[in-house]
Amino acid sequence: MKKRFNEQQIIAILKVAEAGLPVKELCRKHNISDATFYLWRKKYAGMDVSDARRLKVLEDENAKLKKLLAESMLDVDALKAALNPKVLTVGDKRKAVHAMQEVTTISERKACLLVGINRASMRYQPQPKESDVELLARIQELALERKRFGYRRIHRLLRREGTEVNHKRVYRLYREAGLAVLKRKRRKSLCVGREPLLLPSLPNHTWSMDFVMDALSSGRRIKCLTIVDDFTKECLDITVASGISGDEVVVILEAIAAFRGYPETVRTDQGPEFTGKALDQWAYDHGVILKLIQAGKPTQNAYIESFNGKFRDECLNEHLFRDLSHARKLISDWRIDYNENRPHSSIGYLTPSEFAVLTRSGLNNNVTDITKEVLDYTNLHKYLISLAG
């Protein structure tokens, strides 16, 4: 059996060699090889026993430090692999432990220690309660019926049905089923410069357009496209439908232009019907300038906003529409009355139709001159009748 030598014995053998005993004879005496002797001399030459023992201690400490460094580096790699998101719940900690074991060679015991979870909790498989299964099924039914309802409204509906349940329990089941309501993405508005709102000097110079929303007695939504000539204050059209696309806006404008001609400018807001390709192509083909107001600035389209206020107060708020045809009939009657019978203060209390006739006849383009020339409504109507004859 091969003999093992301690530091004290090795240093004693080296001192004997230093005294003059031949190396081969010394090796034969202690039953060691020449290579072993020269290795000892390289490592322990010039040392005494205390120095050799101190070297042994340093080597042991160095080995321990290397082992600790390797373990700490392994822990750091495991933490980087698993702890990027926040680890708060027990479920998150279980996922972190699995991620550590997939990426590194770390043990389950060490991974649980790093994450801060008990090994029993790590291996526990939760069993869903029967009441939770029934409650989750009812939550899913309500979520399908009310797609824009969050967990708070669903909790209220459950309480109305007589289900005594905590809102936190509803929230947990609601999230586990993946029923969170997605936030609507805000449509990006176009970046346009602000322009002063100027009164046109001629008819057909600028038309303003906007949408007004209302509903039928059944609750069905209707959409009204209002179009006004900014100079004569005439309401050129009010189109009523359940929905109006950009292509339909172009058709409506073409129908008006067939009788009045094309305007120089059309002013609108940044609705999707007005910023689409259809209206842009129509304006390009006919040399019409599209003026878009800034997003959230309705006062930059004040003429149509003023008209819409009158339209809501005098027509929409005064009638209850049975169906779409009934709404079109009443709104058309109001538009005719607005153009032909309703005096407008900004044009000398003339009706838009009367003012348009005076403008086309070339009598005057200034409202003050018109009021001086026509002293009362009797003379005005006589003048209009003579123009028509």
Side-chain angles (χ1 to χ4, degrees):
M1 183 176 180
K2 190 175 181 180
K3 184 179 179 181
R4 297 182 63 86
F5 296 87
N6 56 30
E7 291 83 0
Q8 185 176 1
Q9 293 171 340
I10 293 172
I11 292 174
I13 293 172
L14 293 176
K15 287 184 177 181
V16 172
E18 292 176 358
L21 185 67
V23 174
K24 290 186 178 181
E25 185 178 346
L26 187 62
C27 291
R28 190 183 306 111
K29 180 180 178 180
H30 294 285
N31 195 22
I32 59 175
S33 65
D34 296 348
T36 301
F37 174 80
Y38 289 116
L39 184 63
W40 286 351
R41 192 169 69 177
K42 181 180 179 181
K43 185 175 181 180
Y44 297 104
M47 292 186 181
D48 55 13
V49 177
S50 60
D51 294 335
R53 289 178 178 174
R54 191 178 301 109
L55 178 62
K56 179 64 176 177
V57 172
L58 292 174
E59 288 178 347
D60 293 340
E61 291 180 354
N62 190 29
K64 291 180 181 178
L65 290 174
K66 286 183 178 179
K67 183 178 179 181
L68 290 174
L69 179 60
E71 290 178 353
S72 63
M73 292 179 66
L74 182 63
D75 294 346
V76 169
D77 292 339
L79 291 172
K80 286 181 179 180
L83 300 184
N84 286 332
K86 291 184 178 179
V87 180
L88 302 176
T89 64
V90 176
D92 294 336
K93 293 180 179 180
R94 289 195 187 102
K95 294 178 182 178
V97 171
H98 289 308
M100 287 181 178
Q101 291 183 307
E102 290 177 0
V103 175
T104 64
T105 57
I106 196 170
S107 64
E108 182 185 278
R109 186 186 302 275
K110 186 66 175 178
C112 292
L113 182 63
L114 291 174
V115 174
I117 183 175
N118 191 281
R119 294 183 70 193
S121 300
M122 173 64 194
R123 298 181 179 182
Y124 174 73
Q125 298 294 332
Q127 301 295 328
K129 298 180 181 179
E130 185 177 353
S131 58
D132 282 355
V133 175
E134 297 176 356
L135 182 60
L136 178 60
R138 183 55 185 157
I139 289 175
Q140 289 175 333
E141 291 177 2
L142 292 175
L144 290 176
E145 294 175 3
R146 310 277 187 170
K147 295 183 179 180
R148 297 301 302 176
F149 275 20
Y151 80 95
R152 296 183 185 275
R153 292 181 183 272
I154 290 180
H155 173 251
R156 289 294 180 182
L157 294 178
L158 291 172
R159 295 295 294 267
R160 287 181 184 177
E161 295 176 356
T163 304
E164 295 294 332
V165 59
N166 188 280
H167 70 279
K168 291 180 285 187
R169 185 182 176 192
V170 173
Y171 175 74
R172 175 174 59 83
L173 297 175
Y174 186 84
R175 291 298 301 268
E176 289 177 359
L179 298 175
V181 179
L182 298 178
K183 292 184 178 180
R184 298 184 186 272
K185 291 185 178 180
R186 183 177 178 181
R187 186 176 65 90
K188 292 184 178 180
S189 59
L190 300 177
C191 183
V192 296
R194 180 179 180 180
E195 295 185 8
L197 184 63
L198 302 176
L199 180 65
S201 57
L202 295 171
N204 260 22
H205 182 277
T206 303
W207 295 354
S208 295
M209 295 193 302
D210 197 11
F211 283 106
V212 179
M213 312 304 294
D214 200 31
L216 304 176
S217 58
S218 61
R220 182 184 178 187
R221 189 190 70 167
I222 60 174
K223 203 171 186 179
C224 305
L225 174 63
T226 57
I227 307 174
V228 172
D229 188 313
D230 290 352
F231 178 72
T232 63
K233 310 303 179 184
E234 292 175 285
C235 177
L236 306 182
D237 194 11
I238 302 179
T239 303
V240 184
S242 56
I244 301 175
S245 64
D247 294 329
E248 292 171 335
V249 171
V250 170
V251 173
I252 295 167
L253 292 175
E254 278 290 339
I256 299 173
F259 294 95
R260 297 179 59 94
Y262 294 99
E264 294 184 18
T265 305
V266 175
R267 183 185 291 109
T268 66
D269 58 19
Q270 294 194 30
E273 301 87 357
F274 303 140
T275 57
K277 294 180 180 179
L279 186 61
D280 184 70
Q281 185 63 42
W282 174 84
Y284 177 79
D285 293 340
H286 301 287
V288 178
I289 300 174
L290 291 180
K291 286 190 177 181
L292 301 178
I293 65 173
Q294 292 177 317
K297 304 290 184 180
T299 54
Q300 295 181 11
N301 201 5
Y303 295 128
I304 193 68
E305 292 294 338
S306 175
F307 173 81
N308 289 341
K310 301 180 182 70
F311 176 47
R312 290 190 186 95
D313 294 339
E314 300 175 9
C315 182
L316 298 183
N317 295 341
E318 294 294 327
H319 298 94
L320 188 62
F321 306 123
R322 297 189 302 270
D323 50 30
L324 202 57
S325 60
H326 183 232
R328 287 170 177 166
K329 175 66 169 57
L330 293 180
I331 291 174
S332 177
D333 293 342
W334 180 87
R335 186 181 75 86
I336 295 173
D337 180 73
Y338 175 86
N339 285 336
E340 299 181 359
N341 300 320
R342 185 185 185 281
H344 203 293
S345 59
S346 64
I347 52 177
Y349 289 96
L350 304 176
T351 65
S353 297
E354 293 170 345
F355 183 70
V357 171
L358 291 175
T359 304
R360 285 194 294 268
S361 68
L363 176 65
N364 270 304
N365 288 333
N366 188 279
V367 175
T368 305
D369 294 339
I370 292 175
T371 54
K372 290 179 180 178
E373 180 73 22
V374 184
L375 298 178
D376 55 33
Y377 287 107
T378 304
N379 294 335
L380 174 62
H381 285 293
K382 289 180 180 180
Y383 176 73
L384 293 175
I385 293 172
S386 65
L387 288 177

